[in-house]
Amino acid sequence: MNWLHAVILGIVEGITEFLPVSSTGHLRIVEKLLGYDIQGAGITAFTAIIQVGAIIAAIIYFWSDIVRIVVAWCKGLIHKDDRDDPDYTLGWGIILGSIPVGVVGLVFKDAIENTLSSLWVVAIALILWSGVMWLGDRQSGLNRGMKDVGVVDAVVIGCFQALAPLFPGISRSGATISAGLFRKFDRATATRLSFFMGIPALVAAGLYETVSAAGDISTASGGAAAIGWGPTIIATVVSLVVAYVSIAWLLKFVSSNKFTGFIWYRVAVGIIMMGLILTNVVTA
């Protein structure tokens, strides 16, 4: 991989990781357009590893919130009187809500990396899940805030999150935000919950993929050249910087806007992707 492609893919990852448009779907589309085999071991490892940059950006951005929640959860474990703190409940919710996506990721790992990585799956999921987002965005009575988050809410959101790795086009953030809206949380809270629920899952997945797939970055297979660690590191750093800016923008945007623009964008990308496949510009 040349460095220009690394920068392009790092930007794509950074912009789309936390927006409800599917970062994996966009990466696979762009990787395909750039001429890579999206089911090859090297590009699969590259895609997983550069997400670590976006994860680090989220941890940096929400560091004070993370520390507050962890402290409240630890205090609640020790002192019964501290269990009334909403952050204690939120801590348990994040832990329990992170289990479904971990189970799905491990059980269906082979299918996720092969059959379900088809661009047909990406295109169809982009379009169909847009309908779910549209329904969520038009829920009435979105007046619940962060202090109202219960364990049941977090588990429901976690179950929605588990759909994202199965169908790269749904979008992890799109799934969790939609679930939050269906649970009647306001848009800003649903979005922040999406980040909080996503950080443990993304950290675990990022570490797992980095350790298990790192060898594929420097190993050529199937007659193709190796991706290389230089481009991988560049893309990871670029994704970190771009993701940090993207997070700040998204939180500001949802404070006064609906998700309509994202919904129509998803539909448009899905239709364009289908057109490219049907006209043989790219193969699925």
Side-chain angles (χ1 to χ4, degrees):
M1 178 180 291
N2 64 55
W3 288 14
L4 176 59
H5 286 183
V7 171
I8 291 172
L9 292 170
I11 292 172
V12 172
E13 163 61 22
I15 291 175
T16 60
E17 179 62 53
F18 299 111
L19 300 185
V21 296
S22 176
S23 63
T24 303
H26 276 72
L27 280 171
R28 285 176 177 165
I29 290 169
V30 176
E31 287 164 353
K32 191 71 175 180
L33 292 174
L34 291 176
Y36 297 98
D37 175 10
I38 58 174
Q39 291 185 332
I43 200 67
T44 298
F46 171 86
T47 301
I49 291 172
I50 68 171
Q51 291 177 339
V52 173
I55 298 167
I56 295 172
I59 292 173
I60 294 172
Y61 193 93
F62 292 104
W63 181 249
S64 61
D65 294 293
I66 293 171
V67 171
R68 189 190 71 247
I69 293 169
V70 170
V71 169
W73 182 76
C74 291
K75 289 172 66 177
L77 289 178
I78 300 171
H79 303 292
K80 184 177 179 180
D81 292 342
D82 291 318
R83 295 173 188 172
D84 292 331
D85 188 336
D87 285 331
Y88 171 75
T89 303
L90 179 58
W92 272 117
I94 292 172
I95 292 170
L96 297 176
S98 298
I99 295 175
V101 70
V103 172
V104 167
L106 291 173
V107 173
F108 297 99
K109 184 177 186 295
D110 290 339
I112 291 169
E113 293 180 352
N114 295 286
T115 308
L116 295 174
S117 68
S118 166
L119 293 185
W120 274 119
V121 175
V122 174
I124 293 170
L126 277 167
I127 294 171
L128 293 183
W129 197 263
S130 296
V132 178
M133 287 186 62
W134 185 86
L135 291 173
D137 203 27
R138 277 146 186 79
Q139 293 290 305
S140 59
L142 300 177
N143 53 16
R144 298 180 69 195
M146 195 62 70
K147 292 184 177 181
D148 300 315
V149 180
V151 172
V152 173
D153 298 312
V155 171
V156 169
I157 294 172
C159 289
F160 270 65
Q161 180 172 243
L163 295 173
L166 284 175
F167 306 103
I170 284 181
S171 164
R172 187 204 59 78
S173 58
T176 51
I177 289 172
S178 297
L181 295 174
F182 283 123
R183 298 297 295 176
K184 302 298 183 180
F185 290 104
D186 62 67
R187 290 178 182 82
T189 300
T191 303
R192 292 182 74 86
L193 275 174
S194 173
F195 285 110
F196 293 158
M197 294 295 298
I199 288 174
L202 291 172
V203 168
L207 291 175
Y208 176 81
E209 292 292 351
T210 299
V211 172
S212 64
D216 294 324
I217 291 294
S218 55
T219 303
S221 61
I227 298 296
W229 277 107
T232 302
I233 293 171
I234 289 173
T236 302
V237 173
V238 170
S239 74
L240 188 160
V241 175
V242 175
Y244 190 92
V245 176
S246 179
I247 292 169
W249 176 84
L250 179 62
L251 290 173
K252 183 177 180 180
F253 177 84
V254 299
S255 64
S256 57
N257 294 276
K258 290 186 176 182
F259 293 99
T260 305
F262 293 115
I263 293 169
W264 285 113
Y265 172 80
R266 291 169 55 94
V267 172
V269 171
I271 292 173
I272 292 171
M273 198 67 252
M274 287 183 173
L276 292 174
I277 297 171
L278 290 171
T279 56
N280 294 319
V281 174
V282 297
T283 57

